[in-house]
């Protein structure tokens, strides 16, 4: 069985050819790391959409978990990140 992968929809005025996914990802990871070190729980609301998902594959809990919603993701990250030293987040160049 085959399924079509939907096309990425971009906001009007955004040129696909000028996007740099690696730079976007690195900037987001830097913001995440900064927010993990702050006490303000509201800080995650700018990084995740309300109905977001966090798929944790043994990084914070040594278990496979799926967390739904920015409030629950925020609570999960705050509870686990300090315990395991979740820091120095970086992308991996697969090329």
């Amino acid at each position: 069985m085959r399924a079509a992968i939907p096309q990425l929809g971009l906001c009007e005025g955004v040129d696909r050819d000028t996007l740099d996914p690696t730079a976007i990802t690195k900037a987001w990871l830097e913001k995440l790391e900064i927010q993990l070190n702050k006490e303000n729980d509201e800080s995650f609301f700018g990084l995740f959409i309300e109905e977001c998902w966090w798929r944790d594959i043994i990084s914070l809990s040594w278990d496979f978990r799926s967390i739904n919603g920015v409030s629950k993701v925020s609570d999960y990250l705050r509870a686990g990140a300090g315990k395991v030293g979740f820091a120095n987040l970086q992308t991996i160049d697969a090329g």
Side-chain angles (χ1 to χ4, degrees):
M1 176 194 286
R2 290 184 177 193
I5 298 175
Q7 289 284 335
L8 172 64
L10 299 174
C11 296
E12 188 174 323
V14 175
D15 180 13
R16 179 185 307 263
D17 295 330
T18 63
L19 292 177
D20 182 352
T22 302
I24 293 168
T25 304
K26 285 180 180 183
W28 186 86
L29 287 173
E30 288 172 7
K31 290 176 186 176
L32 176 63
E33 192 169 341
I34 289 167
Q35 299 307 345
L36 286 170
N37 292 312
K38 290 185 177 179
E39 297 295 323
N40 180 5
D41 285 342
E42 297 293 319
S43 61
F44 287 100
F45 286 81
L47 294 174
F48 297 95
I49 61 172
E50 184 61 38
E51 287 299 316
C52 64
W53 284 90
W54 182 272
R55 307 258 191 233
D56 190 6
I57 304 172
I58 68 171
S59 62
L60 296 178
S61 65
W62 286 99
D63 196 3
F64 294 89
R65 295 189 184 195
S66 295
I67 299 96
N68 177 237
V70 68
S71 294
K72 290 179 183 174
V73 168
S74 176
D75 292 344
Y76 183 74
L77 290 174
R78 292 237 181 264
K83 292 178 186 175
V84 299
F86 200 59
N88 195 22
L89 306 176
Q90 297 181 21
T91 61
I92 297 173
D93 183 9

